[in-house]
Amino acid sequence: MADSKTERGLKWEVRANERYFHRSCRRKSFLCFRWGRYADNVVRSYKYTPLTFLPLNLYEQFQRTANLFFLLIVVLQPFSPHSHIYLSRSLCSHVSQGRRRSDGQINRRPCDILTPEGFKTVKWKDVRVGDILQVHKDQIIPADLLLLCSTEPHSLCYVETADIDGETNLKFRQALSVTHTELNGDSVKQNLAAFDGIVWCEEPNGNLHSFKGELHWKGERHLLDTDHLLLRGTVLRNTDIVYGLAIYTGSDSKILQNCGKLKLKKTQVEILLNKTVLVILLFMLTTALLLAVGAGLFEHRVSPQYDVVTVLQRDSSPAYLGFLSFWGYIILLSPSMPMSLYITFEVIHMVHCLLIGWDVEMYWEDNNSPAQARTTTLNEELGQVGHLLSDKTGTLTQNRLLFRQCFIAGHIYGDMSKELKPLDLSWNRFSCGGLKFSDQRLVDKLCERSSPECQEFLTALALCHTVMSEWRDGLPHYQAASPDEEALVCAARELGWVFLSRTRETLTISEMGLTRNYQLLALLDFTSKRRRMSVLVRDPRGQLKLYCKGADIVVLERLQTDRPLQESTERALELFAQSCLRTLCVAVRSVPEALWTEWSRTLSQAATSTGNQETALEEIYDQMEKDLTLLGVTAIEDRLQEGVPETIATLRRAGLKVWVLTGDKTETAVNVGYACKLMDPDTTLIQGEELRQLLESPSPDVHVMSKEPEVWITDRRAVKGKAALVISGPELAELTRMPEWGAKFVALSDQCQSVLCCRVTPAQKAEVVEMVRKHSTSITMAIGDGANDVNMIKTAHIGVGLCGMEGSQAVQNADFALAQFSFLRRLLLVHGHWSYYRICILLRYFLYKTTAFALVHVWYSFYNGFSAQPMYESWFISLYTTLYTSLPIQCMGFFEQDVSAKSCLRWPEIYSIGQKQQLFNPLVLAITLLYSIYTSIILIRASPNAYSTPEVWLTICVTTCIAVLPSVTIRALGVVLTNPNKHKIHSLNKPVELKSWFQRGTLQRRSSYAVSQGKGFGKLITTGVGFPSTAPPQDRRVTADSLKKESPQGSLIEMNSGDVAC
């Protein structure tokens, strides 16, 4: 039996209500050693513990080559003033309790677990594998739970997964029928306490969309899948209480499996600096060795000729004196290894972080959130970002869908201006507010009942959906499988067509005060392939009608051939698309009784067939969804965060490649891409088979032909105009398995405007970031706001977390924290550019002045017989390294600005200086070191006997002028020889245009609704599973008198006219 489970991949054993069994196998750790099987439920995102701080910190510090040398100097100079700096710097740099405090807040959250005495409230960190938990409505799930039962019929429950995949629509989960039947009832606590089932499932993994397992109970085996699993981090909605068995806890839970590990991040500038310091160290050791050899030869050949020098030798051998001279030169040349540079480096980093936090332009007053620099080592890399990889939901958008416009009978209703005139909806007792629709003409027509088309349109919105109603405070509130559906049903409610309740066979709505019961005959559910849904109902007058809504390209081809208003409909779709609204066509069909009788018989046969049932049902649905009559078009705004289009447009001008990684469907992401200026109106989308052909091409490179981007595919067909790549999660999985495809994909993306990665998991987001890092040399930045973005935030060179609606996990694991996406423009273009410029100037100056100062002693050795004597007094050396040359450059490092903040934002092309590493690269460093050699030669030639002549000030002045002459000459030539008419940044005077245009009906853009949600609740509705255990209270109906008793099917009940007077 065990072997068969192993063969099926089921190696994880969980025993219900057996804490002792799991405690004996609990995972433990000491330093870097771990043993045991089952993790506890404690979150640990901090880097160090008190026990591991010293060894780990020392390991990280000694990865800097210079620190090893500094340790040697400290040993040689035990009383050196620098000997105390190293430890204090590391302590100040790394001891931070912020993450530990945030982890503690999560670990101390309350939850209820089952004990022998009943349910007891404990902390999250006390939950163990095998515990049975009780979760209440609106609580966060503390661990990955197997749903055992709930208070809803059929043990159904609804969860919100915004912190997992960014989607705000609800997902349903359902317990096994056997646990629902056996455990539910009046004695649920006793039943749960006696539950002794054993779960065998797959080992902990990060796959959020799959789960395989078996429940062994009472001698029977029951299969488990994702519909039975409640993931940690999801929120229980629309369900009073659920009971679950803890399967994975803590670091074993699926969301934390996707978070990745905390990585030590180094900037490209620091990496190059370390290499330069290593070269300087080798040069210094070689020089000290050569000078020591010179000292030995001097003592052997020259010293015997002078009695005074012979007396100083004291019979020491030349080899011994050379050995002593070697160590003397090591100490004498140690200023060439800039020990104080790293101290200044850290101090300037810290000041830059404070300046970011103090910037009032990046302060969000609504939630009192300033910008935060949560690390002090990545400031200059903010000025070098080449790839920006962003989440969509909650990062670019506000997670709010608003009904803004509609097209009915040739007229467009709704105002898109920012200053909306509120509608007078005081006559509607069911109004909950929040309607961002302003057009009194439509309200007047509805109140006067002067437009049958408008009434039929709103009737379709109130009936054609899978929304569940929930009554709170006498008002209906809705839970939907799609945010689009919720927005449409809420809009219909505000305009007087109120969806009240549903049963398995009926729909009850209020039409301007008239309560109508519609018989639900069939529900043709949504699928991503169909991109539409329909309901077949019998209205109170006995007529059969099919209401359908879906993507425009799908619905329009199913309309009657002689449809009126065709041109005006196309024009309305174009106008809505120009405003970047998500469009949806609504249609109706009158169905004859004979057709319904025949069609229902065919549907029943297909539903009981054993073959490919889904394909058969789709074919039968197509037979009914034809000869439709268009009622209208809805236009929904997926509202972007403030300033997102301007920010992305500016960042693209700055040379950043923007990628969007989202768990949403393709069409939703494409819509948002057009809205936020990620793609231009004439951008061609390369996706699917076309992208595969391109990646399978034997040509290793992708070339841009002519001035306009032009991507060639394998059949030598050119994709004209601009291009963007669109790829889905399954395609990405194949891409990451084939490295050569990954390299081609990244190379292709460099020829395109942007990349959209849709339906990706958190782990795939990190894989995309890793792929970009592997196949390109640019700096990557990842930005997100939810726990599903943590892994990519950790993987990127720089991680930015937004203080959004999806919790604080992203901020806790990020390097920088912002309140709004729009603040990214100032963070990169202003603070990033300034930090890169200041730190590069600082490093080059430090290398220049320390190397020049040390080389003077080398030249002086030829005058003092290689005796390792300093040329300057000790007090002068101390003042030189601290007061003379340290404080001025620190002031420049703190406050220097090559251009103002306003200029950085106005001319984002300046940002390319950091992307191209123009201020700190091997060539620039080589020139700097050569310049230091030149300066040291000038100083040594001017120094001997300079103070003994009366022209001392003239000597100092001439020496200074000759020393700075190369720098002044290069700058002057740069100004004189530069063509002023070439690459003028200030010649770009076009304002940022925020509208998008595209051709309706092309593959570039279509309605997003039809693929903006997962499978609907249709199956739950038609089987009667998804309904609440109790009907809405009778006094919550339209009027107390008319709805005290259940309305008969097909009846027409009129409201009290005083309640609905318009």
Side-chain angles (χ1 to χ4, degrees):
M1 185 72 176
D3 293 338
S4 62
K5 298 188 188 73
T6 303
E7 292 174 358
R8 295 194 299 270
L10 308 180
K11 303 178 182 179
W12 190 260
E13 181 182 8
V14 178
R15 300 185 182 183
N17 291 316
E18 289 197 24
R19 270 210 160 196
Y20 177 78
F21 170 78
H22 300 102
R23 187 185 296 117
S24 62
C25 303
R26 188 175 62 181
R27 186 178 304 161
K28 299 178 182 179
S29 64
F30 178 75
L31 295 180
C32 59
F33 303 100
R34 293 185 178 181
W35 64 94
R37 184 168 179 79
Y38 300 103
D40 55 27
N41 205 39
V42 180
V43 175
R44 301 177 181 89
S45 65
Y46 47 82
K47 191 173 183 180
Y48 304 112
T49 66
L51 194 61
T52 61
F53 169 73
L54 186 60
L56 290 180
N57 191 25
L58 289 176
Y59 169 74
E60 293 174 2
Q61 290 302 319
F62 282 118
Q63 288 184 343
R64 288 178 173 175
T65 307
N67 284 339
L68 293 172
F69 177 76
F70 297 157
L71 180 62
L72 175 63
I73 297 300
V74 168
V75 172
L76 294 177
Q77 294 179 306
F79 300 102
S80 169
H82 298 295
S83 59
H84 67 282
I85 294 177
Y86 166 75
L87 184 59
S88 63
R89 186 187 75 82
S90 59
L91 286 173
C92 294
S93 174
H94 292 292
V95 175
S96 174
Q97 296 297 325
R99 285 179 175 168
R100 188 179 294 274
R101 285 194 297 268
S102 62
D103 289 345
Q105 294 175 358
I106 296 175
N107 295 329
R108 289 191 295 269
R109 288 175 179 171
C111 65
D112 298 332
I113 66 171
L114 183 62
T115 64
E117 295 78 22
F119 282 101
K120 177 183 177 183
T121 300
V122 298
K123 300 176 181 178
W124 274 27
K125 64 180 182 180
D126 298 322
V127 175
R128 298 290 182 267
V129 172
D131 287 347
I132 292 180
L133 282 75
Q134 175 182 262
V135 183
H136 295 269
K137 182 180 178 181
D138 297 330
Q139 282 187 342
I140 303 175
I141 308 296
D144 290 350
L145 306 180
L146 172 65
L147 179 59
L148 297 178
C149 59
S150 75
T151 54
E152 293 297 309
H154 305 277
S155 286
L156 196 73
C157 74
Y158 299 90
V159 292
E160 182 181 285
T161 61
D163 209 20
I164 301 293
D165 55 16
E167 298 181 0
T168 55
N169 52 291
L170 299 184
K171 312 288 194 310
F172 67 87
R173 299 290 183 264
Q174 188 175 8
L176 291 169
S177 59
V178 61
T179 58
H180 163 71
T181 305
E182 297 290 337
L183 300 179
N184 254 328
D186 297 334
S187 57
V188 61
K189 294 182 180 179
Q190 291 80 0
N191 295 338
L192 290 171
F195 179 66
D196 58 353
I198 299 177
V199 174
W200 285 92
C201 59
E202 57 193 3
E203 295 274 356
N205 60 78
N207 194 335
L208 298 173
H209 304 297
S210 77
F211 174 72
K212 293 191 303 180
E214 299 174 355
L215 172 63
H216 295 257
W217 188 36
K218 296 184 176 180
E220 297 181 355
R221 180 170 64 93
H222 309 276
L223 298 180
L224 303 174
D225 56 29
T226 51
D227 288 339
H228 306 116
L229 194 65
L230 303 177
L231 297 181
R232 176 190 173 115
T234 58
V235 182
L236 183 65
R237 301 293 190 194
N238 206 25
T239 309
D240 292 333
I241 298 175
V242 299
Y243 302 95
L245 173 66
I247 303 296
Y248 306 123
T249 55
S251 59
D252 289 336
S253 60
K254 288 184 175 292
I255 184 61
L256 293 185
Q257 286 278 316
N258 278 276
C259 285
K261 296 181 179 180
L262 191 63
K263 299 179 179 180
L264 177 64
K265 296 182 179 181
K266 290 184 178 181
T267 66
Q268 298 296 320
V269 170
E270 184 177 358
I271 292 173
L272 182 56
L273 174 63
N274 289 336
K275 293 179 180 179
T276 305
V277 168
L278 180 60
V279 172
I280 294 175
L281 175 60
L282 295 176
F283 175 78
M284 185 192 68
L285 294 176
T286 304
T287 303
L289 180 61
L290 294 176
L291 292 175
V293 172
L297 293 176
F298 184 85
E299 295 297 336
H300 177 65
R301 294 186 177 183
V302 180
S303 294
Q305 302 177 14
Y306 300 94
D307 295 337
V308 176
V309 179
T310 303
V311 172
L312 294 176
Q313 286 184 358
R314 296 180 182 179
D315 299 328
S316 299
S317 65
Y320 177 71
L321 292 176
F323 175 78
L324 294 180
S325 296
F326 173 78
W327 295 109
Y329 275 113
I330 290 294
I331 296 175
L332 188 63
L333 298 179
S334 62
S336 64
M337 290 290 294
M339 183 181 296
S340 59
L341 169 60
Y342 286 101
I343 314 302
T344 308
F345 198 44
E346 295 292 338
V347 172
I348 289 181
H349 272 129
M350 183 182 66
V351 173
H352 288 181
C353 292
L354 293 176
L355 293 176
I356 290 174
W358 292 342
D359 192 342
V360 295
E361 298 293 332
M362 295 193 294
Y363 172 75
W364 188 246
E365 189 175 0
D366 291 359
N367 57 1
N368 190 28
S369 296
Q372 301 177 42
R374 297 173 59 84
T375 182
T376 60
T377 59
L378 303 176
N379 302 74
E380 68 273 17
E381 207 145 64
L382 290 173
Q384 299 177 271
V385 176
H387 281 81
L388 175 64
L389 300 102
S390 173
D391 177 43
K392 181 189 74 69
T393 308
T395 303
L396 302 179
T397 65
Q398 297 182 6
N399 276 346
R400 295 175 59 196
L401 294 182
L402 305 175
F403 181 81
R404 296 303 303 271
Q405 288 184 299
C406 61
F407 169 81
I408 308 173
H411 299 282
I412 295 179
Y413 300 95
D415 185 6
M416 285 297 293
S417 62
K418 293 184 177 180
E419 297 181 0
L420 296 177
K421 297 180 181 179
L423 297 175
D424 181 14
L425 301 176
S426 57
W427 49 270
N428 186 0
R429 59 166 295 191
F430 293 107
S431 175
C432 299
L435 181 65
K436 300 296 181 182
F437 176 86
S438 178
D439 198 324
Q440 193 62 38
R441 296 177 301 159
L442 179 59
V443 177
D444 293 340
K445 288 182 179 180
L446 294 175
C447 292
E448 297 168 1
R449 299 184 178 273
S450 59
S451 175
E453 296 87 353
C454 295
Q455 298 176 37
E456 189 78 351
F457 176 79
L458 288 176
T459 301
L461 295 186
L463 292 174
C464 187
H465 55 77
T466 59
V467 170
M468 304 288 187
S469 63
E470 179 185 11
W471 290 79
R472 297 196 300 265
D473 301 326
L475 296 174
H477 296 266
Y478 304 125
Q479 303 289 353
S482 164
D484 302 76
E485 280 202 335
E486 184 178 0
L488 293 176
V489 177
C490 288
R493 177 193 62 197
E494 298 299 313
L495 295 174
W497 262 252
V498 186
F499 168 63
L500 298 176
S501 63
R502 77 186 319 142
T503 66
R504 181 178 178 179
E505 297 178 349
T506 63
L507 293 164
T508 304
I509 66 173
S510 169
E511 301 176 0
M512 297 297 290
L514 297 177
T515 300
R516 296 178 181 269
N517 285 339
Y518 288 80
Q519 182 182 2
L520 179 62
L521 301 177
L523 193 154
L524 286 59
D525 201 8
F526 168 90
T527 64
S528 58
K529 183 178 180 181
R530 284 167 36 79
R531 294 186 293 174
R532 65 190 182 279
M533 75 156 294
S534 303
V535 291
L536 182 61
V537 298
R538 187 187 300 275
D539 67 13
R541 296 180 179 86
Q543 297 180 354
L544 294 178
K545 289 186 177 182
L546 176 83
Y547 292 102
C548 176
K549 66 180 181 183
D552 55 357
I553 198 170
V554 174
V555 174
L556 292 179
E557 66 185 12
R558 286 168 171 75
L559 298 180
Q560 297 174 350
T561 54
D562 56 342
R563 62 179 186 270
L565 304 176
Q566 180 176 355
E567 293 185 1
S568 59
T569 301
E570 292 289 342
R571 187 164 56 253
L573 288 170
E574 289 290 343
L575 292 174
F576 294 156
Q578 289 179 16
S579 300
C580 296
L581 300 177
R582 300 164 64 151
T583 54
L584 172 69
C585 289
V586 182
V588 67
R589 178 188 182 185
S590 295
V591 181
E593 286 284 350
L595 176 62
W596 153 244
T597 303
E598 180 183 354
W599 184 82
S600 62
R601 186 184 305 110
T602 306
L603 180 65
S604 300
Q605 294 174 357
T608 57
S609 64
T610 57
N612 193 342
Q613 193 178 88
E614 291 187 4
T615 303
L617 289 176
E618 289 181 3
E619 293 176 356
I620 295 174
Y621 291 167
D622 286 340
Q623 297 174 10
M624 181 61 70
E625 294 170 326
K626 61 183 181 181
D627 296 331
L628 301 174
T629 301
L630 184 69
L631 293 176
V633 179
T634 64
I636 297 175
E637 179 184 8
D638 189 359
R639 175 161 290 186
L640 299 174
Q641 285 196 17
E642 183 178 347
V644 166
E646 298 93 330
T647 300
I648 291 182
T650 304
L651 294 179
R652 286 179 53 197
R653 285 180 57 196
L656 274 76
K657 292 292 183 181
V658 184
W659 294 33
V660 173
L661 315 178
T662 177
D664 274 355
K665 306 295 188 297
T666 300
E667 292 290 347
T668 307
V670 169
N671 262 288
V672 175
Y674 282 109
C676 66
K677 292 295 293 180
L678 188 68
M679 300 173 292
D680 290 335
D682 56 346
T683 297
T684 299
L685 302 183
I686 303 177
Q687 57 184 326
E689 187 61 30
E690 188 175 18
L691 178 59
R692 174 178 288 274
Q693 291 179 10
L694 196 60
L695 296 176
E696 291 176 347
S697 170
S699 175
D701 300 318
V702 180
H703 301 284
V704 177
M705 312 298 293
S706 76
K707 294 182 179 179
E708 293 294 327
E710 195 173 51
V711 182
W712 291 90
I713 60 176
T714 54
D715 60 358
R716 299 301 178 185
R717 213 164 31 90
V719 181
K720 300 293 183 181
K722 305 168 186 176
L725 301 182
V726 181
I727 189 169
S728 63
E731 293 170 332
L732 270 174
E734 187 176 359
L735 198 68
T736 54
R737 289 195 300 266
M738 304 180 68
E740 63 278 5
W741 280 25
K744 284 187 178 181
F745 184 79
V746 175
L748 179 61
S749 69
D750 291 337
Q751 308 295 324
C752 300
Q753 284 186 321
S754 55
V755 178
L756 291 174
C757 301
C758 313
R759 299 305 291 167
V760 294
T761 64
Q764 285 182 317
K765 290 183 178 182
E767 291 174 356
V768 171
V769 176
E770 190 65 39
M771 180 179 66
V772 175
R773 292 189 60 169
K774 180 179 179 181
H775 299 295
S776 73
T777 58
S778 67
I779 303 300
T780 58
M781 169 181 280
I783 181 170
D785 71 322
N788 57 323
D789 305 314
V790 169
N791 203 349
M792 76 167 181
I793 285 174
K794 290 181 178 180
T795 305
H797 290 97
I798 307 173
V800 179
L802 292 187
C803 310
M805 299 172 59
E806 299 181 17
S808 59
Q809 287 292 315
V811 172
Q812 292 171 11
N813 292 275
D815 304 307
F816 297 89
L818 301 175
Q820 290 285 297
F821 182 87
S822 58
F823 295 161
L824 196 62
R825 174 171 51 174
R826 187 171 181 87
L827 179 69
L828 294 180
L829 302 185
V830 179
H831 290 281
H833 174 73
W834 284 350
S835 293
Y836 176 73
Y837 178 79
R838 293 165 180 170
I839 287 175
C840 289
I841 296 298
L842 168 78
L843 296 179
R844 284 161 50 189
Y845 176 78
F846 254 92
L847 293 175
Y848 163 76
K849 65 106 173 178
T850 54
T851 307
F853 186 77
L855 287 175
V856 170
H857 296 289
V858 175
W859 312 136
Y860 186 60
S861 298
F862 293 94
Y863 293 88
N864 61 24
F866 305 100
S867 58
Q869 295 298 314
M871 181 176 176
Y872 304 108
E873 297 288 344
S874 59
W875 62 268
F876 180 83
I877 296 176
S878 299
L879 290 177
Y880 176 83
T881 56
T882 57
L883 183 61
Y884 297 162
T885 58
S886 178
L887 293 180
I889 193 60
Q890 283 187 28
C891 293
M892 288 188 65
F894 292 155
F895 307 114
E896 176 67 7
Q897 299 177 11
D898 58 334
V899 289
S900 65
K902 184 177 179 180
S903 299
C904 289
L905 297 175
R906 184 178 181 184
W907 300 309
E909 292 82 1
I910 297 174
Y911 189 77
S912 63
I913 294 174
Q915 294 173 329
K916 298 176 182 178
Q917 301 181 6
Q918 294 181 0
L919 301 182
F920 202 79
N921 56 58
L923 178 60
V924 171
L925 290 179
I927 295 175
T928 301
L929 294 178
L930 289 175
Y931 189 24
S932 67
I933 296 174
Y934 166 82
T935 303
S936 66
I937 294 175
I938 297 299
L939 294 177
I940 193 62
R941 297 297 299 172
S943 295
N945 302 320
Y947 292 96
S948 62
T949 62
E951 297 85 8
V952 58
W953 294 109
L954 178 61
T955 303
I956 293 174
C957 182
V958 172
T959 302
T960 303
C961 292
I962 297 175
V964 301
L965 181 62
S967 178
V968 175
T969 303
I970 292 174
R971 291 177 180 271
L973 290 175
V975 173
V976 172
L977 299 178
T978 300
N979 184 359
N981 295 322
K982 187 177 180 180
H983 303 308
K984 287 176 64 177
I985 293 177
H986 57 272
S987 65
L988 298 174
N989 294 322
K990 287 186 177 181
V992 177
E993 182 62 52
L994 299 182
K995 284 189 176 182
S996 292
W997 292 271
F998 49 87
Q999 294 184 359
R1000 171 66 56 175
T1002 66
L1003 294 177
Q1004 296 180 13
R1005 181 172 167 97
R1006 290 192 286 242
S1007 297
S1008 66
Y1009 166 80
V1011 284
S1012 67
Q1013 67 178 66
K1015 191 174 181 179
F1017 294 155
K1019 183 178 179 180
L1020 299 180
I1021 294 171
T1022 55
T1023 57
V1025 170
F1027 300 107
S1029 53
T1030 57
Q1034 300 294 337
D1035 56 357
R1036 292 180 178 176
R1037 298 295 182 92
V1038 179
T1039 61
D1041 296 333
S1042 61
L1043 297 179
K1044 285 183 180 178
K1045 57 184 178 178
E1046 186 70 26
S1047 301
Q1049 178 179 319
S1051 63
L1052 176 65
I1053 304 175
E1054 186 166 357
M1055 281 188 59
N1056 188 338
S1057 60
D1059 292 336
V1060 293
C1062 293

